[in-house]
Amino acid sequence: MKLPIVVYPDKRLKEISKEVAVFDTALHTFLDDMYESMMSSNGIGLAAIQVANPIRVLIVSLPDEEGNQSKESLLEVINPRIVSSKGSIFYQEGCLSVPGFYEDIERFESIELEYQDRYGEVHMLEAEELLSIALQHEIEHLQGKLFIEKLSYSRRKKFEKEYKKKLKENKK
Ligand code: QAP
Ligand code: CO
């Protein structure tokens, strides 16, 4: 089932997500719904809070060299914890909850992540470049943070002005 995406400035995006303790079929169904919602919105990453569920769950599916997003490339990440990070990298980020807006954001170039899968099994993952960026972006959603909060004061002001203008236009 496709779930509606919560968009900025909805206050629910500020909520702190809770640890997952039960890895049951309800969780599996929810993960499948997240995947369907992300794919039908042309996303490459989605956090549970973006579909109004404040639990520490995120998914990432990066396109391959041909630009195809296969289900095999899907990464389901539950209760993530960054155990180490290094370097710095800039990338033009977007977000399904901030549609139509993209800005260069600085992240760690590589991270080491501990997380659980849909069965509760613990995994370690070393991620770099785009996967590392996507994971950091989604993990910040779990803390109630959006990428626009990393903008400089002047860029944030410019964003607020443009975004609100667009929201008004879409209402007409
Ligand atoms: C997060 O972002 C991310 O504005 C996932 O109109 C960001 O899937 C991962 C999207 C940067 C890696 C690098 C945004 C779709 C999708 C839009 C997304 C839009 C339609 C964003
Ligand atoms: Co996002």
Side-chain angles (χ1 to χ4, degrees):
M1 187 180 64
K2 191 190 164 195
L3 309 167
I5 308 276
V6 176
V7 298
Y8 181 82
D10 196 308
K11 296 265 189 311
R12 288 176 290 177
L13 292 168
K14 290 175 160 300
E15 269 180 67
I16 309 286
S17 295
K18 297 261 183 321
E19 288 275 312
V20 172
V22 183
F23 297 80
D24 58 3
T25 51
L27 177 69
H28 299 174
T29 303
F30 175 67
L31 280 160
D32 296 340
D33 290 346
M34 278 183 71
Y35 182 69
E36 192 182 329
S37 309
M38 179 182 75
M39 294 306 283
S40 64
S41 307
N42 301 313
I44 58 169
L46 187 71
I49 191 73
Q50 294 179 273
V51 289
N53 191 352
I55 59 173
R56 292 184 60 80
V57 169
L58 63 91
I59 58 173
V60 171
S61 172
L62 300 183
D64 63 21
E65 292 93 82
E66 280 108 61
N68 301 312
Q69 258 170 301
S70 69
K71 184 125 200 202
E72 289 77 68
S73 82
L74 175 65
L75 188 60
E76 296 179 337
V77 173
I78 301 167
N79 300 332
R81 191 169 63 89
I82 294 175
V83 294
S84 75
S85 55
K86 58 172 190 268
S88 151
I89 187 170
F90 282 85
Y91 191 83
Q92 190 172 55
E93 296 191 14
C95 179
L96 286 173
S97 294
V98 191
F101 184 78
Y102 305 85
E103 265 287 11
D104 279 347
I105 301 291
E106 185 177 17
R107 301 281 182 189
F108 297 117
E109 199 274 329
S110 63
I111 58 170
E112 226 182 322
L113 192 74
E114 188 186 283
Y115 69 97
Q116 285 167 287
D117 64 20
R118 60 162 65 199
Y119 306 105
E121 294 288 334
V122 178
H123 300 268
M124 285 290 290
L125 174 69
E126 276 179 55
E128 49 182 30
E129 300 174 331
L130 187 56
L131 180 58
S132 166
I133 293 163
L135 288 166
Q136 291 171 69
H137 176 112
E138 301 310 333
I139 288 169
E140 290 204 335
H141 275 296
L142 308 183
Q143 304 299 336
K145 294 273 176 283
L146 296 174
F147 78 106
I148 50 171
E149 293 172 54
K150 300 177 88 74
L151 298 174
S152 67
Y153 181 79
S154 63
R155 282 183 182 274
R156 179 64 186 264
K157 279 275 174 267
K158 186 169 149 267
F159 159 73
E160 294 293 343
K161 205 171 142 203
E162 285 174 5
Y163 191 79
K164 274 167 194 160
K165 187 171 158 218
K166 209 188 71 195
L167 282 183
K168 238 187 242 168
E169 281 166 4
N170 291 346
K171 255 195 232 157
K172 281 184 201 154

